[in-house]
Amino acid sequence: MAEASGVINLGEQLDITIVSELKQKLSSALADEQPVVLDGSTLERVDTAGVQMLMAFSRAAAEGPGWGWHGGEVPDKVDSAARYLGVVEEVRGDSV
């Protein structure tokens, strides 16, 4: 989950094993009061905990600087998990 040029790379997994660490990183990014860009291009695994964390982040970012996906598209793994859970709109992001 390296951070470069204002983009937060989510790495290969967005699951319960990393949500605590990622939550801290995203909270810090929101505190900078700049739009946050997430790169999920290398994601291999997304679980319910990861989607729930994205939903909480999305709500927090909507009240602040906003956020979006690197490249403008929801990564396939996130989209699949969100569709399964019926929360696609909540993880779409903004145009940043």
Side-chain angles (χ1 to χ4, degrees):
M1 281 184 293
E3 194 170 338
S5 323
V7 176
I8 296 176
N9 186 321
L10 298 179
E12 293 182 358
Q13 60 190 41
L14 179 57
D15 62 17
I16 197 162
T17 64
I18 59 93
V19 292
S20 180
E21 175 188 342
L22 183 58
K23 180 182 179 208
Q24 291 176 352
K25 184 176 289 257
L26 294 174
S27 293
S28 293
L30 288 176
D32 290 341
E33 298 183 8
Q34 297 292 321
V36 179
V37 177
L38 302 181
D39 182 351
S41 61
T42 59
L43 282 171
E44 297 286 328
R45 174 178 160 75
V46 178
D47 71 3
T48 300
V51 173
Q52 288 172 325
M53 193 276 317
L54 278 177
M55 290 171 56
F57 167 72
S58 178
R59 286 185 213 113
E63 296 174 9
W67 74 285
W69 291 104
H70 184 65
E73 296 290 324
V74 178
D76 290 341
K77 296 292 183 182
V78 173
D79 187 62
S80 293
R83 283 185 191 285
Y84 180 77
L85 297 169
V87 295
V88 174
E89 290 301 316
E90 289 88 338
V91 298
R92 286 210 190 274
D94 306 317
S95 297
V96 295

